[in-house]
Amino acid sequence: MDLPVIDLSDYLSTTATSDAQLSELCGVVSRSLRETGALLVKDPRCSAQDNDLFIDMMERYFQSPRDFKLLQERPHLHYQVGVTPEGVEVPRSLVDEEMQEKLRAMPEEYRPSSPKGPDCKWRYMWRVGPRPLQTKFKELNAEPVIPEGFPKWKDTMDSWGYKMISAIEVVAEMAAIGFGLPKDAFTSLMKQGPHLLAPTGSDLQTHGREGTVFAGYHYDLNFLTIHGRSRFPGLNIWLRNGRKVEVKVPVGCLLIQTGKQIEWLTAGDCIAGMHEVVVTSRTTDAIKLASEQNRSLWRVSSTVSEAISFIEIAIYELFAHIASDAILKPLGHFAESPLASKYPPLCAGEFVEKELAVINLKGQSKES
């Protein structure tokens, strides 16, 4: 698949780029989001060293005993901070009848893998950025959770999280310009949004068979999602034309995908990107090669031997959100779209809570 690769330094260094070149670049961004629901970006502010520090720490965390990880579980906060254990989140494709009907109509070669139940992945949700002083959606804007024994946790998570959000904000500005909207049409709604850095881990010793579904076919409920480069293949996405493609993120790049909130803001001009994470033959080949080379997928601290670990970060993402108390509705000229009536004005926090309930992540608040 040939997704465009956008070098964000061209936009950040406006003195070296003409207005015509910027306009063309922004057009490429909006066109790719509209036609494929995805694009690749390079951001000079997101260094390999920052990425490695983040990955190293998450490797240590996911290798921790189950009982320790469960101390960071916050179901009463809708799992929007802290850890979500495997076997909790239900793929949308298992519970959405309209989606199931569309899947049955797909050509067989483009159909997603069929999960047998909830996702067999762990996920850690880390809130990035300032939260609103007052909000109707406290569960969606709760304080982040810091596990004991990780003194550099906050600094590491915030450092990488802020860098990824900065990349998304640039893409959001470029997309707005490309769509013929004011430059800040999207970013103004993102201020104090409940953005989440969300690494996932899967136990390959238990779930490493080919065909195992780490994350069943679904869309993301947020505005834009930015994916870091995975150490294992297995991420499939669906283009707007229904074609299924395996994503290969080049070294030094990040993958951006459209979420449901940008679909709402553009009255369906952009459609939320569908994707899944599955153990493929290429995944098992990578596991075998790592074992033969005695490489650890989790590079733990120097006090621990580098034996092969069969736990991996299936993928890590940052979910950029529209602020919970902001109103989702088609913006600018999109409000005149014939499809605008399908996207009535709705508080973003209310929308998120409804979506979380469908996939089994909306727990009961402590006041309930």
Side-chain angles (χ1 to χ4, degrees):
M1 179 185 59
D2 293 323
L3 287 177
V5 178
I6 306 298
D7 191 337
L8 300 187
S9 60
D10 294 336
Y11 181 84
L12 295 168
S13 304
T14 52
T15 55
T17 310
S18 69
D19 289 345
Q21 288 172 318
L22 278 178
S23 178
E24 182 180 353
L25 198 60
C26 292
V28 173
V29 169
S30 60
R31 189 162 54 250
S32 184
L33 294 179
R34 176 189 292 119
E35 294 176 359
T36 71
L39 77 156
L40 296 163
V41 299
K42 287 184 177 180
D43 191 327
R45 301 166 299 179
C46 298
S47 72
Q49 182 180 11
D50 291 329
N51 179 66
D52 289 344
L53 286 172
F54 166 70
I55 293 290
D56 289 347
M57 188 177 70
M58 293 314 305
E59 288 176 347
R60 283 186 55 219
Y61 176 78
F62 281 122
Q63 280 193 321
S64 301
R66 178 184 177 87
D67 288 347
F68 170 78
K69 293 195 290 264
L70 291 179
L71 295 175
Q72 290 85 55
E73 185 182 16
R74 300 292 186 272
H76 63 283
L77 298 176
H78 310 335
Y79 294 99
Q80 295 303 285
V81 289
V83 78
T84 306
E86 63 181 8
V88 172
E89 184 174 347
V90 176
R92 182 108 197 177
S93 55
L94 274 184
V95 292
D96 187 322
E97 292 184 4
E98 183 179 347
M99 188 178 291
Q100 290 171 359
E101 189 173 331
K102 290 180 180 178
L103 294 182
R104 287 190 289 269
M106 276 186 182
E108 189 171 348
E109 66 268 28
Y110 294 157
R111 286 179 192 165
S113 300
S114 299
K116 307 302 180 187
D119 290 341
C120 57
K121 69 176 188 293
W122 289 74
R123 187 193 292 281
Y124 204 98
M125 295 287 209
W126 177 259
R127 178 79 64 233
V128 180
R131 288 166 299 285
L133 295 177
Q134 299 207 353
T135 176
K136 294 181 288 185
F137 304 96
K138 294 181 180 179
E139 291 88 354
L140 303 181
N141 294 274
E143 290 287 336
V145 178
I146 303 175
E148 291 186 10
F150 291 82
K152 296 183 179 180
W153 184 277
K154 186 178 188 303
D155 288 344
T156 303
M157 298 293 267
D158 281 347
S159 175
W160 189 236
Y162 274 109
K163 289 176 188 295
M164 296 187 83
I165 283 201
S166 295
I168 283 190
E169 287 175 340
V170 172
V171 171
E173 283 190 0
M174 297 176 74
I177 294 170
F179 285 131
L181 299 172
K183 175 180 174 180
D184 66 346
F186 298 134
T187 54
S188 62
L189 296 173
M190 291 171 60
K191 289 179 179 177
Q192 297 187 339
H195 313 307
L196 291 166
L197 181 58
T200 64
S202 303
D203 183 351
L204 290 176
Q205 203 161 25
T206 305
H207 305 297
R209 292 180 301 277
E210 185 174 344
T212 299
V213 181
F214 289 155
Y217 181 79
H218 68 288
Y219 60 74
D220 291 337
L221 59 87
N222 51 291
F223 172 61
L224 289 175
T225 298
I226 185 166
H227 299 264
R229 187 171 186 270
S230 175
R231 290 175 172 169
F232 275 125
L235 172 63
N236 297 318
I237 70 172
W238 277 257
L239 306 183
R240 187 161 185 162
N241 63 10
R243 181 180 162 217
K244 174 184 177 180
V245 291
E246 183 178 0
V247 176
K248 299 174 184 177
V249 180
V251 175
C253 290
L254 299 164
L255 172 70
I256 304 273
Q257 262 200 300
T258 50
K260 201 68 175 179
Q261 290 177 348
I262 194 173
E263 179 179 328
W264 214 275
L265 297 172
T266 63
D269 194 52
C270 279
I271 296 293
M274 306 303 300
H275 52 288
E276 67 177 4
V277 181
V278 181
V279 176
T280 66
S281 60
R282 291 183 64 237
T283 315
T284 56
D285 287 345
I287 296 169
K288 182 180 179 182
L289 181 61
S291 301
E292 290 172 351
Q293 296 179 348
N294 198 32
R295 286 188 292 110
S296 175
L297 302 174
W298 291 85
R299 190 166 298 281
V300 194
S301 66
S302 59
T303 57
V304 182
S305 63
E306 293 190 350
I308 293 299
S309 165
F310 289 97
I311 302 176
E312 61 122 350
I313 291 184
I315 195 164
Y316 69 87
E317 307 159 305
L318 186 138
F319 301 122
H321 278 261
I322 299 303
S324 300
D325 295 275
I327 300 298
L328 284 177
K329 63 179 181 179
L331 300 178
H333 61 86
F334 292 118
E336 307 303 319
S337 166
L339 299 178
S341 61
K342 292 181 59 179
Y343 302 94
L346 178 67
C347 202
E350 182 183 350
F351 168 78
V352 170
E353 288 188 339
K354 288 180 178 179
E355 292 283 315
L356 292 175
V358 173
I359 58 176
N360 197 40
L361 292 183
K362 188 176 183 296
Q364 295 296 314
S365 67
K366 287 184 175 180
E367 288 77 19
S368 298

